[in-house]
Amino acid sequence: MKFNEIGEFGFIESIKKQCSTSSKNVIKGIGDDCAVFRANSNRVFLFTTDMLVEDVHFLMDKITPYQLGWKSVAVNLSDIAAMGGIPLHVLISIGIPVKTDVELIKDLYRGMNDICSHYNVNILGGDTVASKDKLIINISLLGDGEEHSVLYRHGAGPGDKVYLTGNVGDSAAGLNILQNKISFSYTDKDYFIKAHNEPWPLVETGRIIATSQLAGAMIDLSDGLLSDLGHICEESKVGASIFEEQIPLSRELRLLSSRENFNPLELALSGGEDYVLLFTAPEKNIHAIEQLSREKDISPIVMIGEITNEEGIRLTDSYGKSTFVRPKGFDHFSELS
Ligand code: ADP
Ligand code: MG
């Protein structure tokens, strides 16, 4: 069935059953003029939104509808993770071309609902409109946390160590494979495509880091390592020095890059959409952080460098030669112009 046959209200009725709410704090989800839920007392709200536009953020032939639903929620969850919060409720608004298959949107909601269920997030409503010819998805996510444990971009200071909570570059390799810019003759391409299309936001990891009180600043890697580290530097009015050899790359990416003869560093530094967390912590917390990553059930934590008081980001290669590097993260308005 096509979208112009089922209509807005028929569609809303059909997804009502597909949208999960699990919290006892939800009084009213989909089906009224507003959603109604109880707030947890003594906590601050974290509120984020992200919009995905067909042909700008995704291409329908490079991602399945299920993955698109998953990823559109995942990128918002990652923003809550980056501040150490707990995700709670989402609103999902979509602009749907009238000739769209209803099944496609149902698959999209299956992906959204699966990731929401996994993280105990309630789908509390949204809006549905017709779009001329592109699919548009906007997700708003509300989370909460303790005021004193929220981690901002502005909390880094000179001498702090810089850490990553996972590998970088896999997602960018996936995108390059999808765009036929990297051949994949010998490699399992699904690993990379999954990294790009079905990222796992590090909500638990972000939470453990924030509540440990060991870190100063945190951000999730959406634009690319250099670009996102650049955001921390800018907001904290500091610089950074990182070491090429310490940047964590997956075994799969090392293998792919040596077989296909390219330098994985470019993807790792500027690729983006890794959705791992980058955080800084005072030097005195080194051992406590090592212990945290050993004892708690979180993603591996790797130190990649330190915060400096000189402006810019310095990259030191395996021969000890260091140069200033400029971020080449994704910027919408420069990419499109
Ligand atoms: P109103 O016209 O009062 O804004 P709507 O008819 O747009 O109400 O929506 C009716 C209900 O369905 C509301 O609870 C709204 O949040 C929900 N809803 C509408 N579109 C979506 C969607 N795409 N995903 C989830 N819930 C939706
Ligand atoms: Mg409406």
Side-chain angles (χ1 to χ4, degrees):
M1 201 192 298
K2 299 289 179 202
F3 227 84
N4 50 356
E5 298 169 274
I6 186 174
E8 178 186 344
F9 300 114
F11 166 71
I12 294 173
E13 210 38 54
S14 77
I15 54 163
K16 234 170 166 175
K17 303 174 202 90
Q18 244 189 306
C19 293
S20 66
T21 55
S22 59
S23 163
K24 63 176 185 346
N25 283 340
V26 175
I27 299 166
K28 185 79 197 180
I30 294 176
D32 211 312
D33 292 311
C34 289
V36 182
F37 57 87
R38 282 182 206 91
N40 295 319
S41 55
N42 299 324
R43 295 170 75 80
V44 290
F45 281 125
L46 309 174
F47 203 8
T48 182
T49 191
D50 258 301
M51 179 137 91
L52 300 174
V53 177
E54 183 180 346
D55 292 347
V56 178
H57 302 93
F58 61 91
L59 299 169
M60 289 308 278
D61 61 343
K62 306 286 188 203
I63 188 165
T64 68
Y66 179 93
Q67 290 174 324
L68 182 58
W70 176 281
K71 186 170 178 177
S72 55
V73 175
V75 298
N76 282 280
L77 285 168
S78 183
D79 283 325
I80 297 284
M83 302 197 79
I86 296 179
L88 299 171
H89 310 297
V90 283
L91 295 176
I92 301 169
S93 296
I94 40 180
I96 307 171
V98 290
K99 292 288 167 55
T100 305
D101 263 322
V102 174
E103 267 318 302
L104 185 152
I105 302 297
K106 290 233 171 130
D107 281 342
L108 185 84
Y109 269 81
R110 261 191 280 281
M112 290 172 170
N113 196 57
D114 279 0
I115 189 166
C116 284
S117 303
H118 181 89
Y119 290 96
N120 289 319
V121 168
N122 306 295
I123 301 175
L124 291 194
D127 200 15
T128 308
V129 297
S131 152
K132 196 154 185 300
D133 54 8
K134 304 289 180 215
L135 180 63
I136 300 163
I137 304 166
N138 176 247
I139 304 222
S140 300
L141 172 60
L142 185 73
D144 76 355
E146 308 77 21
E147 188 167 358
H148 65 271
S149 68
V150 174
L151 286 170
Y152 298 87
R153 296 176 180 186
H154 63 239
D160 286 1
K161 298 297 177 188
V162 179
Y163 297 88
L164 279 183
T165 66
N167 297 324
V168 285
D170 287 345
S171 172
L175 179 63
N176 278 280
I177 289 170
L178 285 166
Q179 294 172 329
N180 299 317
K181 289 183 186 163
I182 298 178
S183 64
F184 43 84
S185 37
Y186 303 100
T187 322
D188 180 11
K189 68 177 182 189
D190 291 343
Y191 168 84
F192 297 102
I193 292 174
K194 256 194 139 155
H196 186 71
N197 283 346
E198 269 178 86
W200 283 92
L202 300 180
V203 176
E204 297 89 348
T205 299
R207 196 62 203 143
I208 290 168
I209 293 164
T211 54
S212 75
Q213 307 277 312
L214 296 170
M218 191 152 71
I219 192 168
D220 66 319
L221 294 198
S222 52
D223 298 334
L225 172 53
L226 291 181
S227 186
D228 291 316
L229 176 56
H231 294 320
I232 287 214
C233 290
E234 206 165 295
E235 291 302 313
S236 301
K237 302 189 171 51
V238 292
S241 167
I242 57 173
F243 298 91
E244 210 177 287
E245 286 198 315
Q246 284 165 239
I247 295 172
L249 304 178
S250 68
R251 201 178 50 86
E252 288 83 353
L253 183 59
R254 287 179 194 280
L255 211 63
L256 177 73
S257 59
S258 73
R259 278 175 175 162
E260 301 300 331
N261 206 18
F262 67 89
N263 184 354
L265 199 67
E266 176 83 357
L267 299 182
L269 292 175
S270 306
E273 299 206 78
D274 297 298
Y275 300 109
V276 298
L277 302 173
L278 180 150
F279 70 96
T280 66
E283 191 171 11
K284 67 174 169 44
N285 294 341
I286 283 186
H287 297 298
I289 284 170
E290 279 171 8
Q291 204 169 345
L292 193 73
S293 92
R294 267 199 310 272
E295 286 176 3
K296 298 268 187 175
D297 188 19
I298 62 174
S299 333
I301 294 174
V302 181
M303 193 200 293
I304 61 163
E306 62 186 25
I307 297 295
T308 62
N309 51 23
E310 59 177 359
E311 209 180 300
I313 299 173
R314 193 186 272 282
L315 178 70
T316 304
D317 69 15
S318 49
Y319 304 102
K321 186 169 162 282
S322 81
T323 43
F324 280 102
V325 280
R326 286 181 53 77
K328 272 191 286 180
F330 186 80
D331 177 331
H332 276 281
F333 294 96
S334 63
E335 296 282 328
L336 285 178
S337 57

